[in-house]
Amino acid sequence: MNKKLVKEVKSSFKEQFKTKPLLVFSPGRINLIGEHTDYNDGLAFPAAINKGIVLALSKSDSNKSTACALNKNEIYKFNTENIKPLEDGGWRNYVLGVVAELQMAVKPIGNFNAVFAGNIPGGAGMSSSAALENSFVYGLNKLFKLGLSKTEMILISQKAEHNFAGVKCGIMDQYASMFGVKKSALLLDCRTVTSQPYKINFKDYKLMLINSNVKHDLSESAYNDRREVCEKVSRLLHIDALRDASKEDLDCIKFDITDEDYQKALYVINENNRVKQFSEAINKDDIEALGDLLYQSHEGLSTNYRVSCDELDFLVERAKENPNVLGARMMGGGFGGCTINLIKKDEFKTFKKDTTKKFRQRFEKDCTVYSVKLSRGTKIVK
Ligand code: GLA
């Protein structure tokens, strides 16, 4: 968490609303492996990070709510009664979505004032939207004493994303952001919505994120299309979700579906197995195996599931050329955002310099490199 960010949000809030706010920090997330498995009731391996959203909140004594997005210098006023999604509402729809879904799940709430700001690069696949939703649901739950559990809260955040942002996302982002554990990644079972924290010792290696700076827009129908394909194949297999299928099952209906749909379902089945192998490799302290699984995951995302792009493929290819990188893959929903790389600590700087240069030569624009810490989930800031 960034102290400067907390200070900025707090002082802007006090200036505007002349009162002491409730402060919430809600982090973004990374995902080690298990991409597009969450809405298939499968397994994923995310972690909350030390970048996120700080939200300042208090009850309003007027009949208006005010939300201020400090980074964008934008203010939106609304009333908590009769909320509907806005066309091209951007961040406003996440706020409205949480308020509407919260009221639907629990009871009407009063008006409130809010100021928020964050340091998660937008569109990088680090779930700034889940961080925003969770900050509001967590803050409002506290402010209006609604008594919701964390699991109830993330289901509200997810519904906000479905019904107000139009993305039929799974539960991974909201889960990781809410339940993150310091220095750990979470082996998440998206069917039971429970997880097991893994304190991972990467030894001489560390994680490196490289942002292609290609902005992905998940509300683009591509994400929802993938989900529909998975659900269609599951129905044909008479199962609840692809988590329950094996390659042998899928092969039985191979000629009843298109090759593209076959490839996509196969990817999900394989990726779900890779998450299991990944956790086994951690238990055995087999760092090299982790790297291999990352490369396999990318291959599947790129060629079978088709959610990568030239820039992401290029970054993974550069990683493969370098023996100091054990593995790399695109991370998150896809079509842009970051790659996640497992790289030798001593080689971080050299690889960063080299890749940045090559990326610029190839695409005539810059990529951005980050290192992140695995951190605690959504919390009140004292
Ligand atoms: C986005 C969604 C998640 C998940 C990932 C892909 O981040 O919000 O639910 O499906 O894509 O793994």
Side-chain angles (χ1 to χ4, degrees), residues 29 31 33-40 44 125-127 129-130 158 161-162 167-174 216 218 223 227 267 271 301 305 307 329-334:
R29 64 108 187 88
N31 185 23
I33 198 159
E35 221 63 87
H36 291 274
T37 45
D38 61 351
Y39 53 83
N40 288 297
M126 289 189 232
S127 288
S129 57
Q158 186 192 26
E161 185 110 12
H162 285 190
V167 183
K168 301 285 178 202
C169 65
I171 198 66
M172 170 173 74
D173 303 350
Q174 290 79 9
H216 68 151
L218 279 184
Y223 182 91
R227 182 168 184 155
Y267 159 78
E271 180 76 351
L301 285 159
Y305 214 59
V307 288
R329 63 176 199 85
M330 56 147 278
M331 190 182 78

Side-chain angles (χ1 to χ4, degrees), residues 118-365:
N119 57 1
I120 308 169
M126 289 189 232
S127 288
S128 50
S129 57
L132 181 59
E133 292 150 6
N134 279 354
S135 69
F136 270 90
V137 76
Y138 196 89
L140 293 171
N141 177 56
K142 185 99 186 161
L143 196 66
F144 292 100
K145 300 195 172 62
L146 302 175
L148 292 167
S149 69
K150 285 185 175 182
T151 304
E152 287 169 325
M153 285 191 255
I154 61 170
L155 294 173
I156 288 171
S157 291
Q158 186 192 26
K159 278 201 177 141
E161 185 110 12
H162 285 190
N163 300 329
F164 278 68
V167 183
K168 301 285 178 202
C169 65
I171 198 66
M172 170 173 74
D173 303 350
Q174 290 79 9
Y175 189 98
S177 164
M178 182 67 76
F179 286 94
V181 175
K182 202 174 167 183
K183 291 189 177 163
S184 307
L186 309 172
L187 176 57
L188 169 62
D189 183 327
C190 300
R191 173 165 277 162
T192 56
V193 196
T194 53
S195 71
Q196 200 185 328
Y198 273 66
K199 220 174 190 171
I200 309 175
N201 178 2
F202 290 119
K203 296 183 189 159
D204 295 338
Y205 291 83
K206 66 184 279 186
L207 296 173
M208 172 182 194
L209 300 183
I210 312 179
N211 190 351
S212 64
N213 289 320
V214 177
K215 296 258 183 272
H216 68 151
D217 185 1
L218 279 184
S219 59
E220 269 182 336
S221 53
Y223 182 91
N224 295 344
D225 287 353
R226 298 294 182 289
R227 182 168 184 155
E228 267 173 34
V229 168
C230 295
E231 287 169 357
K232 189 173 77 190
V233 175
S234 299
R235 277 195 301 274
L236 284 171
L237 287 169
H238 304 291
I239 51 175
D240 287 340
L242 284 182
R243 185 228 179 105
D244 303 317
S246 64
K247 179 170 183 296
E248 290 68 37
D249 299 331
L250 184 63
D251 283 340
C252 294
I253 60 157
K254 189 167 183 173
F255 299 107
D256 304 327
I257 55 178
T258 62
D259 186 51
E260 284 96 77
D261 289 0
Y262 175 84
Q263 295 299 334
K264 291 192 176 102
L266 182 62
Y267 159 78
V268 172
I269 294 168
N270 288 339
E271 180 76 351
N272 203 49
N273 287 330
R274 279 191 284 270
V275 182
K276 289 181 206 154
Q277 290 163 16
F278 199 90
S279 63
E280 283 156 18
I282 294 174
N283 290 337
K284 286 192 214 138
D285 237 3
D286 186 352
I287 306 282
E288 305 233 329
L290 299 181
D292 283 345
L293 289 163
L294 293 182
Y295 282 135
Q296 287 172 31
S297 170
H298 184 79
E299 184 62 26
L301 285 159
S302 182
T303 63
N304 302 110
Y305 214 59
R306 298 192 169 276
V307 288
S308 186
C309 63
D310 287 349
E311 288 84 348
L312 292 169
D313 289 344
F314 180 86
L315 288 171
V316 172
E317 284 310 312
R318 298 295 75 73
K320 274 188 186 161
E321 283 166 8
N322 189 324
N324 297 306
V325 184
L326 281 186
R329 63 176 199 85
M330 56 147 278
M331 190 182 78
F335 308 106
C338 289
T339 61
I340 180 166
N341 302 261
L342 189 55
I343 178 166
K344 210 172 215 158
K345 281 180 189 158
D346 306 342
E347 297 295 325
F348 192 96
K349 275 198 186 138
T350 325
F351 182 61
K352 174 178 172 178
K353 206 170 144 207
D354 191 46
T355 306
T356 315
K357 192 172 146 206
K358 287 181 177 149
F359 190 88
R360 196 180 299 124
Q361 275 166 356
R362 168 74 173 76
F363 296 106
E364 292 175 3
K365 59 185 178 189

